[in-house]
Amino acid sequence: MLTRNCLLLFLWILVDEGSAFSSRPPLLPLGQSRKGREHARSSAGPMRNGANRFQRVKRGWVWNQFFVLEEYMGSDPQYVGKLHTDLDKGDSAVKYTLSGDGAGSIFTIDQTTGDIHALRSLDREEKPYYTLRAQAVDINTNRPLEPESEFVIKVQDINDNEPKFLEGPYRASVPEMSPVGTYVTQVTATDADDPTYGNSARVVYSILHGQPYFSVDPKTGVIKTALPNMDREVKEQYQVLIQAKDMGGQLGGLAGTTTVNITLSDVNDNPPRFSKSFFHLRVPESSAVGSAVGRIKAHDLDIGRNAEVEYTIVPGDGGNMFDITTNEHTQEGIIILKRGLDYESKKAYTFKVDATNAHLDPRFQSFGAFKDTATVKINVLDVDEPPVFNKPSYVMDVYEDTPVGTIIGAVTAQDLDDGGFIPLIFTAGARQQSFSFRYSIDWKSDLDNYFDIDPVEGTISTNELLDRESIAQHNISIVATKLSNPVLTSRVAVTIHVLDINEFPPELANPYEAFVCENAKVGQVIQTFGAKDQDLPSAGQQFAFKSPKEDGKNRNFTIRDFGNNTAGIVTKRGGFRRRLQEIYLLPVVIEDNGYPPKSSTGTLTIRVCGCESDGALLTCSAEAIFLPVGLSTGALIAILLCIVILLVIVVLYVGLRRQKKKETLMSSKEDIRDNVIHYDDEGGGEEDTHAFDMGTLRNPKVAEEKLYRRDVKPEIKRGPRPPVSQDSADIRDFINQRLREHDTDNSAPPYDSLATYAYEGNGSVADSLSSIDSPAVDVEEGYDYLSEWGPRFKTLAGIFGESETQSDSNSSKTH
């Protein structure tokens, strides 16, 4: 068929070329030259402009796509196609070039002929097509003869890839007992071949293993059930092998397989069943109420929620003694005791138990009743039981003056194994010699050993004298121990109340201290008081209050009994005065209604106080103890204020004395420290004399005196200073000696000043002004020339002029 079509196409081309040979250029596989295109336009022009009909000019074929077979295994390079231009006259003047995907490495072109070959085998799944560009150039000038053309080389697919299940192996689940055609899962296989070319990628599914239980759709890969009523309890797991084959499943196609693991999920299609119809249990009679006495189980072939079982006891003879619950983990029926068992009363119980599904499925109710019934028989076992007291607790009363050894009560216990109470207290006949248990008092509950008990009869007696005021109630524990098995014991609590006897007289409830106003009236109740009693108060206990008989002549106060266990102090007169009597003592007799009655006499203290007109308390008579009669409150305050002022004055005086003792000699305002004078110039004139008295150096008498520091008491005796000499060397030695004394003086404080004496120097125009180099004191010398030296020596001239005047006056007086 393909050959015939090609032949017809070839003949049609030949006929068409013969009819239009004169109006079109030759065929160009790759493209037309510019000259050929111009020739076509010139030949077609007259036909369009003339009267004849337009005649279509057929273009040459343009090869823009080539095909190459993938996985080529030949020894020679695979031929792809040929490029050619009309300008190529076969004289090797045209050169063909190739560029683009794989040019030079995968594809090559013959530059002279234009033949294209593939150098290696190609894989379509790796790269389906290649885009390249070709051009024809002049071999001599390298000038392009044709525009660059783009074409595609497509890799033609072959069936070289098998179908693959990328998600396998698969797992799926379907409920058991499902009808035929129930969806299970879907599998998908992929083929890497070209799905648009041939049947290489057309996949068909089939089952290789897993029939007749399941089926698969050959086109979609959907797996469905193929067998009805598949029972999980018979077979739960299925393994199905699925095959996918390409080429539409035809012979020669490639195939791939995968495994599908299918599980049947459970449904509630089975009722519970007891493993046996009769269960026999044994239970000790000592089992506690609420305890589990046995277990039964009904098995259900289903699993999970569908296997949950509910147990119920069928109402009957023994069912009211027991109850049954379901264990959530094991689905067992747990039989629980509802009431106490007694072997001596009933030795066996029989009842029926139903087991049903907790969650029924209505689809399977037609299969029958989803329940099962079993019979349970429980035998009660006899056990050695401890004694049992006939009461849960005992209460006894005893008076606190009861003699030692008096029986105050008894307890009675029962041995259930012997079938009844044992007579433990006998009123006649001899004491029973055979008894099964004995009584005792738990020593922890009676540490002081107040009571005793008969081990056989159980009678409780006093062992010590009781005192209600010390312990009003005793709580002891009585133990009954079985002699045949000392481990079996029973306990019972006994409460003993100690009854009170009237042994204490009543007394005042509080130490009352009343007060009466000076302006109190006759018959006024100034204080209410009560009484207390150490004896146990009874419901009708009463206290009576009265004045003693010997106090009948009391004209000040009396006692009034109010009849409700309280009484009041009543004034018999008015006009009380603190100055006359401040405190009154009032005796009172208190009597109770016990048997025999007890009474006592108490004393009430009454203080006279000052009150306002309305009875409000102002002050009591504490001031009368310290002040003379007639001293008022204002006077007392004035005296106290004076005392305080005197104390303040004394304290201030003492403080000032102490402060004066601590004051140092340096606290004086006078600064007695020496001045340090430093001369920097040759002669400052009278300006230097403002800071230091120069007469000290020139007065010989000053040198003869012992000069001590006025701020420190001298401790070291210094040697006599040398007399002042006219010689400058003596003055120098004197100054150096004073310097050494000051340097070695340890008694001087660190803040003392040091007097430094320096020489004026040489070269002064006025010569030296110091008195050190002056002639003897007796030599008279005038200093009038100093006033001629200028304003700088004005002060010095005045000093020496005054000295001269004074010396003249002294000499005249002497004469």
Side-chain angles (χ1 to χ4, degrees), residues 513-571:
E513 185 173 353
F515 73 91
V516 61
C517 296
E518 290 181 320
N519 55 357
K521 299 179 181 179
V522 179
Q524 181 178 350
V525 179
I526 62 174
Q527 179 69 47
T528 301
F529 59 92
K532 63 180 181 180
D533 197 336
Q534 296 183 16
D535 294 321
L536 182 64
S538 59
Q541 186 178 20
Q542 291 289 332
F543 297 107
F545 304 90
K546 61 181 179 179
S547 299
K549 296 179 179 180
E550 60 274 8
D551 196 42
K553 299 180 180 180
N554 191 337
R555 300 179 181 179
N556 299 313
F557 305 97
T558 185
I559 301 299
R560 180 184 299 175
D561 192 348
F562 297 138
N564 57 355
N565 290 339
T566 61
I569 304 174
V570 181
T571 58

Side-chain angles (χ1 to χ4, degrees), residues 642-661:
C642 293
I643 294 173
V644 171
I645 293 174
L646 291 176
L647 291 175
V648 171
I649 293 174
V650 171
V651 170
L652 292 176
Y653 177 75
V654 173
L656 291 175
R657 291 294 300 273
R658 291 183 179 178
Q659 186 175 2
K660 287 183 178 181
K661 290 182 179 181

Side-chain angles (χ1 to χ4, degrees), residues 397-423:
D397 297 330
V398 59
Y399 284 98
E400 60 180 336
D401 61 346
T402 301
V404 176
T406 303
I407 297 176
I408 60 176
V411 296
T412 305
Q414 176 187 10
D415 189 355
L416 300 179
D417 295 329
D418 291 340
F421 285 95
I422 299 178

Side-chain angles (χ1 to χ4, degrees), residues 274-320:
F274 284 106
S275 59
K276 54 186 179 179
S277 60
F278 187 83
F279 292 89
H280 192 187
L281 304 176
R282 294 176 176 84
V283 180
E285 64 172 336
S286 59
S287 299
V289 174
S291 62
V293 297
R295 296 171 181 263
I296 60 175
K297 185 175 183 180
H299 298 272
D300 194 327
L301 297 178
D302 297 322
I303 59 175
R305 185 172 181 268
N306 298 323
E308 294 180 2
V309 182
E310 289 183 353
Y311 298 93
T312 56
I313 294 178
V314 178
D317 180 32
N320 56 355

Side-chain angles (χ1 to χ4, degrees), residues 268 305-306 308 310 356-361:
N268 193 7
R305 185 172 181 268
N306 298 323
E308 294 180 2
E310 289 183 353
T356 58
N357 273 124
H359 309 284
L360 295 177
D361 194 335

